[in-house]
Amino acid sequence: MFEIKRTAVNAEDFERARFVCKAARPNRPEYPFAAVVHVEWTRTGSRLVACDGLRLHVAEIRMRIPRGDYKPVMSKDSIRFGEPAQGINFPNWKMCVPENPIRKGTLNLEKTGMSKNSGLAAGISLVFSDFVEKTGEVVNIRYLDDLPKTEWTVSVHKDKKTIILLEEKDAGRETYAVLVPLAKAA
């Protein structure tokens, strides 16, 4: 078993892993891959990937976790990865990441949140409106709320404008999300 704890030493790894785990959805039995966090090795640690069919979260951490597909168990201060899940065919997630996307601007999520705090709620509403203006697409607002509370660059696929890439500013391709827009409301 492997565990990432929220400590001063591991704070960045913990937050990145937590971000990825938010895209894992164990309640989608038709998509077994959606219940796991896929782990790959990088030169300096591990890459964590999760996809629920409408969004993909990817982040690199310094901790080296054995490769495989794990059903994470999250608590306030830790994320545990038990034994790798068997029989999961995690899709080729790299096919979802747009190459040479067109940059549309940035979003600042620092003072936003889906909460009872009216200032944070107003902030996420303004960011959502800005997102729609930049991309021309609508996504589940909770997907934006699940992003770490930093600044993000927004890009769209050069040909298929409906694939949206969000990269954490100054993190490059270490922390990013790919979102699929919702169908237009009737």
Side-chain angles (χ1 to χ4, degrees):
M1 174 170 70
F2 294 87
E3 185 172 31
I4 303 172
K5 292 186 176 188
R6 184 195 310 250
T7 62
V9 175
N10 269 351
E12 188 174 315
D13 279 357
F14 178 81
E15 290 303 324
R16 286 181 174 189
R18 187 169 161 237
F19 156 69
V20 172
C21 289
K22 288 180 179 182
R25 293 283 181 240
N27 56 350
R28 298 206 56 194
E30 70 275 21
Y31 301 114
F33 67 85
V36 300
V37 170
H38 178 72
V39 177
E40 302 174 350
W41 282 355
T42 65
R43 283 185 284 137
T44 58
S46 301
R47 179 179 298 112
L48 308 179
V49 183
C51 177
D52 67 3
L54 294 175
R55 64 180 167 166
L56 172 79
H57 287 185
V58 180
E60 292 183 16
I61 63 172
R62 291 181 305 256
M63 184 180 222
R64 177 88 56 180
I65 299 172
R67 290 176 263 211
D69 300 314
Y70 296 88
K71 293 185 179 181
V73 177
M74 291 180 26
S75 70
K76 179 182 174 194
D77 294 317
S78 73
I79 301 168
R80 291 190 322 268
F81 298 92
E83 293 297 317
Q86 300 299 315
I88 302 289
N89 186 17
F90 201 83
N92 183 354
W93 63 272
K94 293 176 184 173
M95 299 286 293
C96 300
V97 182
E99 292 182 24
N100 305 315
I102 299 167
R103 190 165 186 255
K104 294 293 189 172
T106 61
L107 299 175
N108 188 339
L109 295 167
E110 288 176 13
K111 296 178 182 173
T112 66
M114 304 262 307
S115 70
K116 291 182 181 180
N117 178 311
S118 61
L120 295 177
I124 194 72
S125 293
L126 292 171
V127 166
F128 181 73
S129 177
D130 192 26
F131 175 87
V132 172
E133 184 177 315
K134 284 176 170 54
T135 65
E137 300 292 344
V138 175
V139 297
N140 184 329
I141 194 170
R142 291 195 182 279
Y143 293 173
L144 296 178
D145 188 49
D146 283 346
L147 299 173
K149 303 305 180 201
T150 61
E151 198 166 351
W152 291 77
T153 59
V154 180
S155 303
V156 295
H157 190 279
K158 64 179 181 157
D159 298 321
K160 301 175 187 172
K161 304 265 189 268
T162 59
I163 299 174
I164 301 156
L165 174 66
L166 294 155
E167 297 173 278
E168 188 173 24
K169 194 168 182 189
D170 301 327
R173 285 284 173 111
E174 291 178 12
T175 306
Y176 60 94
V178 177
L179 305 180
V180 175
L182 297 170
K184 299 288 186 212

